[in-house]
Amino acid sequence: MARIAFILLCHKAPDEVIAQARRLCAAGDYVAIHYDGRAPAAEFAAIRAALAGDPGVVFARRRVKCGWGAWSLVAATLEALRAALAAFPRASHFYMLSGDCMPIKTAEHAHAFLDARDADHIESFDFFRSDWIRTGIREERLIYRHPFNERRHRRLFHAALAVQRRLGLRRAIPADLRVMIGSQWWCLRRRTVEVVLDFIRARPDVVRFFRGTWIPDESFFQTLVRHLVPEAEISTRSPTFLMFTDYGMPVSFYNDHYDLLLAQDYLFARKISPEAQALKARLGTLYAATGLRFPISDEGRRLHEFLTGRGRVGRRFAPRIWETEASLGSGRELLIVTSKKWHLARRLVARMAEVADVPGVGYLFDEQAAGLPDLGGIGESLEKRNRHRRALVRMLFDHFGTDRLAICLDTSGIEAMRDFHTDRARVGVLEIRCDFSDADLAGHARRVGLAGEQTPAEALDRLLPTIRRDIAFESDRLDGAGFAGLLRIDQRRAPAENTAALAQFLSIPYEAAGKIARTDQLFAD
C-alpha cells in the first residue's frame, strides 16, 4: 500500500501546522516540514517542541528565506525532500502541500488512488506551446535573469528586465531540456525523487539556469520529471484542487464549500481560508474516516466561472478582423431563433422550414452535433466555428442556395448576435420565452458542465436559483442590446399573439404564421 511523505511548506499559523502534521501522521503517513526562514524563530521552536519525538515528522535541515516567484521556494522544497527521503525509507510517494491545503478525501481513498496507477502526478505542459500562462511575461521568465523579486521590488524587477531587453542580454536554455510548466502541487514516486536529486547533483548547469528564472517552482520539477520519466508514467494532472481568479490569484474556500470540495476528483484542496474553521474541522475529521464513497461531479471550476462571471459580462463594439472580410451579403436575411431550451428552438426552426420554406440549422455555435452539412475544416470544431462565424454562415447560405437562413443560438450568445447585427445582411432575432421547472434547470446545469450525474441533490438545490436568475438576466439583456428586429413568442401567450410575432419575424402571411404557432406540442418538453 502507498505510504505518503508529505512535503509541507508553511510560513504562518504554527497551531494549524501542528494539527496538520498530526492529522497526516495519524493515518500512517509521514510529514517533512519546511518553515519559512522569514517567519519568527519562536513560531518554529513551538512547532518543533509540539512535534518532538513523533517518528512520522522530520524537519528540513535548513530554513530557507522564501519569496514568491523566486528560486527560494524550490530550494525549500529540495531541503524538505532530502530530509524526507533520508528519514522515511518506507515512503512510496512524496506529496507537496502548503499550510493552506486540506484533504477533501479520506486517507483510505488517497492511498487507493495512488495504488491504482504507478505514475507521477504532476502538471507538465510545454512552456511555449501551451496556454498555461494566462497573463504576464512568458518567454522572459526563462531567457532573462531575475535578480529582484517582483512583489518586493517591483520597479527594480521591471527595470532589470528592460535593461536586458535593450542590451540583448538573452541567455540560452539548456539545449537538451524541453522546458515544461504546471502547478507546483504535485505527488511524485520515490524513485522519481531519487533520480531528480541525482540529476541535480550531476547537472549544476541546469540548477544555475533555473536559479535565474522567474517563478521556477512552476517549471523546475515539471521539466525534470518530463526529462527523466517515461511519458506513460506521468499523469499530467495535479492531485490538488485549486482555482484561480481572472487576476491570477488563488480562489479561497469557505465553510459553505464542503459539499463542492468533496465532489471534485482530487485528494486535497488549496487554499482554505484561515477564517473557515468549521470547514477545516470537517475536512480534518473526514481524512480519518473509513469506508466512505465519493460521488464525483467535478464541476467546481465551471461552477466558479459561471458564478463569478455574472457581473462581468463583456461587450465588444467592433467586429473581429476576419469577420470584416466575411459579410453575409446585403441581399441576405439571417433569422436567429434563441432559447435556453434547445429542443424548442430546433423544433421551431424545423417547422419554419416546412411552412415558410426557410432552411435552418441547430445550435451550430453551441453544440458539436448541430446537423451541419459538410463544409470542410471550418466546421470541424466549435472553436473554429466561433472563430469564423460569418464565413461559416455565408457558406451555409451558399450550400442551401438561399438568401434566407435560420439558425439557433443560446440566449447567452449575445456576442454572436451583436456580430451578425453589424453585418450588411438583414438580421432578425426571435426569442422563445418558456417556463423552466427545477428539472429543466438541472438538465441545463448538467448539459453545460455546471453539474454532473453524481452532483449531490443539496448542492444542485443551491445552484438552481442562480441559474434561474441567470436565464432571466440573459433575456433582459436582449432588450438592452438594441436589436431592431427583436421579437418574442411566449409559452404563456395565446397562439394569436405568437402568430403576429412569427408573421413579422418571417415576413409571411398571418395564416401561414398561424400554422406554425398552432404546431402541436410546440412548447412541450
Side-chain angles (χ1 to χ4, degrees):
M1 184 184 77
R3 296 194 70 177
I4 308 168
F6 289 97
I7 307 302
L8 184 57
L9 299 191
C10 41
H11 65 282
K12 61 181 180 180
D15 289 344
E16 295 191 5
V17 173
I18 295 165
Q20 178 84 305
R22 287 173 173 165
R23 179 186 309 116
L24 298 173
C25 290
D29 293 315
Y30 312 104
V31 179
I33 298 175
H34 178 277
Y35 201 67
D36 192 345
R38 297 183 186 279
E43 291 184 358
F44 180 58
I47 296 172
R48 294 204 68 143
L51 298 174
D54 190 325
V57 177
V58 70
F59 291 89
R61 181 181 57 85
R62 181 173 65 97
R63 291 175 64 200
V64 179
K65 293 182 178 180
C66 297
W68 186 90
W71 169 257
S72 53
L73 289 176
V74 178
T77 304
L78 290 172
E79 289 290 339
L81 274 175
R82 293 185 181 107
L85 201 65
F88 309 128
R90 297 181 61 190
S92 60
H93 294 77
F94 296 77
Y95 193 128
M96 273 283 294
L97 287 180
S98 77
D100 295 322
C101 295
M102 286 293 290
I104 57 175
K105 298 291 183 293
T106 61
E108 180 181 69
H109 179 99
H111 294 148
F113 173 85
L114 296 176
D115 284 334
R117 181 182 175 190
D118 186 21
D120 297 304
H121 301 271
I122 180 171
E123 286 189 354
S124 180
F125 306 107
D126 190 280
F127 188 96
F128 297 99
R129 297 179 184 176
S130 72
D131 62 352
W132 201 89
I133 300 174
R134 298 297 179 89
T135 59
I137 60 175
R138 179 186 289 266
E139 182 185 35
E140 293 88 345
R141 289 190 184 194
L142 304 179
I143 64 173
Y144 299 120
R145 295 171 177 82
H146 301 279
F148 302 104
N149 187 288
E150 185 185 29
R151 290 198 171 180
R152 294 200 304 272
H153 307 290
R154 183 175 180 82
R155 294 180 64 181
L156 289 174
F157 177 91
H158 289 285
L161 188 58
V163 168
Q164 292 177 83
R165 283 172 173 159
R166 186 163 57 250
L167 299 179
L169 300 178
R170 297 167 62 100
R171 61 188 189 137
I173 298 171
D176 60 333
L177 290 185
R178 177 187 175 196
V179 180
M180 311 298 285
I181 193 164
S183 168
Q184 65 270 48
W185 310 109
W186 38 253
C187 180
L188 302 179
R189 297 168 297 175
R190 184 181 193 90
R191 63 175 175 272
T192 299
V193 171
E194 291 172 342
V195 297
V196 165
L197 294 179
D198 287 344
F199 181 86
I200 291 171
R201 286 189 288 269
R203 292 291 301 273
D205 60 311
V206 172
V207 175
R208 282 195 301 272
F209 171 76
F210 278 104
R211 278 181 179 273
T213 62
W214 180 233
I215 320 183
D217 53 317
E218 293 179 351
S219 56
F220 180 75
F221 291 99
Q222 296 77 1
T223 300
L224 297 195
V225 170
R226 179 70 70 169
H227 183 72
L228 298 167
V229 176
E231 183 174 359
E233 297 179 20
I234 300 175
S235 170
T236 54
R237 187 174 186 271
S238 170
T240 297
F241 178 62
L242 69 161
M243 299 189 295
F244 291 94
T245 67
D246 291 345
Y247 305 102
M249 300 300 292
V251 172
S252 292
F253 298 108
Y254 295 90
N255 291 334
D256 57 350
H257 285 123
Y258 180 81
D259 291 327
L260 180 143
L261 290 176
L262 264 61
Q264 308 313 307
D265 193 14
Y266 296 84
L267 305 181
F268 283 75
R270 183 182 187 272
K271 63 184 198 172
I272 310 301
S273 170
E275 301 170 3
Q277 293 302 315
L279 176 61
K280 290 185 176 183
R282 295 181 73 183
L283 293 176
T285 301
L286 170 78
Y287 193 64
T290 58
L292 297 184
R293 296 179 61 83
F294 296 92
I296 301 298
S297 58
D298 222 17
E299 79 282 6
R301 290 191 175 91
R302 290 290 301 275
L303 178 58
H304 178 265
E305 180 183 353
F306 171 76
L307 294 174
T308 58
R310 297 307 88 201
R312 295 169 46 80
V313 179
R315 296 194 175 206
R316 183 158 59 83
F317 296 96
R320 291 182 170 95
I321 186 169
W322 57 80
E323 293 169 333
T324 61
E325 303 301 324
S327 173
L328 305 180
S330 58
R332 286 173 165 170
E333 183 178 19
L334 180 64
L335 302 171
I336 299 172
V337 177
T338 182
S339 175
K340 188 62 74 176
K341 286 190 177 181
W342 293 4
H343 58 285
L344 299 193
R346 287 192 290 257
R347 185 182 300 153
L348 179 61
V349 166
R351 186 65 171 144
M352 286 163 46
E354 294 174 359
V355 175
D357 195 27
V358 177
V361 294
Y363 284 80
L364 69 167
F365 300 116
D366 298 292
E367 59 177 345
Q368 186 67 35
L372 283 180
D374 184 7
L375 299 174
I378 193 172
E380 70 182 12
S381 69
L382 290 176
E383 181 184 6
K384 280 192 175 182
R385 295 179 200 173
N386 280 280
R387 192 185 308 144
H388 306 292
R389 287 194 193 105
R390 296 193 198 180
L392 176 65
V393 173
R394 189 177 71 247
M395 293 173 70
L396 287 172
F397 275 108
D398 295 339
H399 173 82
F400 289 112
T402 183
D403 288 330
R404 304 185 79 205
L405 178 70
I407 65 171
C408 300
L409 288 179
D410 191 90
T411 50
S412 64
I414 196 166
E415 179 184 327
M417 298 179 206
R418 287 197 180 99
D419 284 344
F420 288 125
H421 269 82
T422 61
D423 195 88
R424 290 178 293 169
R426 176 185 175 274
V427 178
V429 178
L430 178 74
E431 183 190 8
I432 304 175
R433 280 191 167 173
C434 48
D435 297 329
F436 290 89
S437 66
D438 286 351
D440 293 331
L441 299 179
H444 171 70
R446 293 186 181 98
R447 185 174 68 244
V448 300
L450 295 176
E453 293 301 327
Q454 302 299 323
T455 299
E458 58 273 17
L460 200 54
D461 289 342
R462 290 195 298 270
L463 177 61
L464 296 186
T466 303
I467 298 176
R468 192 179 295 279
R469 288 193 298 270
D470 193 64
I471 290 173
F473 167 74
E474 289 176 355
S475 181
D476 292 342
R477 190 170 54 165
L478 291 173
D479 290 320
F483 298 147
L486 177 63
L487 294 163
R488 288 186 172 94
I489 62 172
D490 195 315
Q491 181 176 358
R492 300 188 180 189
R493 290 179 185 169
E497 293 182 82
N498 290 333
T499 296
L502 287 167
Q504 183 178 347
F505 179 64
L506 292 167
S507 302
I508 59 175
Y510 187 86
E511 293 77 12
K515 293 181 181 179
I516 300 174
R518 291 190 298 272
T519 298
D520 188 39
Q521 302 293 306
L522 181 61
F523 292 98
D525 290 328

